Amino acid sequence: LEHDGLGRYGDPLNPFGDLESVARARCLLKPHGILMLGVPFAPDTVLWNAHRTYGKYRLALLTMGFQIIDLIGSSCYVDKHAVRDGGYCQPIMVLRKTGSHSKLMR
């Protein structure tokens, strides 16, 4: 997901490719459905054209319409952006779909 829209794998350039991919996945979920998602946590950065890292701002956009209900497999924290092992960590987020998409767009 952190590679979407960066052109690394022949996909078209799209600065919102990652956000659009999660929005599409959200549309497929039933109300209150669960999505498990792993992306690198670190300060918001694009490492051209390798991948993105998700910090305070980009992570909030990525998880819009979801409640983070758990982090699995890492000791880093979403709010403090603690990083480990090479400058970032990559837990699995357990996300629950909230609200309706039309409410998000208002």
Side-chain angles (χ1 to χ4, degrees):
L1 180 90
E2 64 268 19
H3 311 280
D4 288 1
L6 297 181
R8 183 179 181 106
Y9 299 105
D11 54 319
L13 296 179
N14 179 351
F16 307 109
D18 56 337
L19 305 178
E20 290 175 2
S21 292
V22 170
R24 281 194 291 276
R26 187 179 184 285
C27 288
L28 297 173
L29 288 173
K30 292 181 179 182
H32 308 291
I34 300 293
L35 175 66
M36 298 181 80
L37 177 65
V39 294
F41 285 11
D44 293 288
T45 307
V46 174
L47 298 150
W48 187 257
N49 70 350
H51 65 274
R52 296 175 182 87
T53 58
Y54 295 84
K56 180 178 177 181
Y57 303 106
R58 193 77 178 186
L59 187 62
L61 292 172
L62 192 71
T63 58
M64 185 182 303
F66 291 98
Q67 173 189 8
I68 300 173
I69 57 176
D70 202 1
L71 292 175
I72 300 171
S74 181
S75 63
C76 63
Y77 301 97
V78 175
D79 294 329
K80 297 190 183 210
H81 306 291
V83 295
R84 303 173 41 179
D85 303 328
Y88 68 89
C89 57
Q90 188 162 340
I92 302 297
M93 292 182 287
V94 181
L95 306 173
R96 177 176 289 132
K97 182 178 178 179
T98 60
S100 70
H101 186 68
S102 60
K103 289 180 184 174
L104 293 175
M105 300 306 287
R106 291 183 191 166

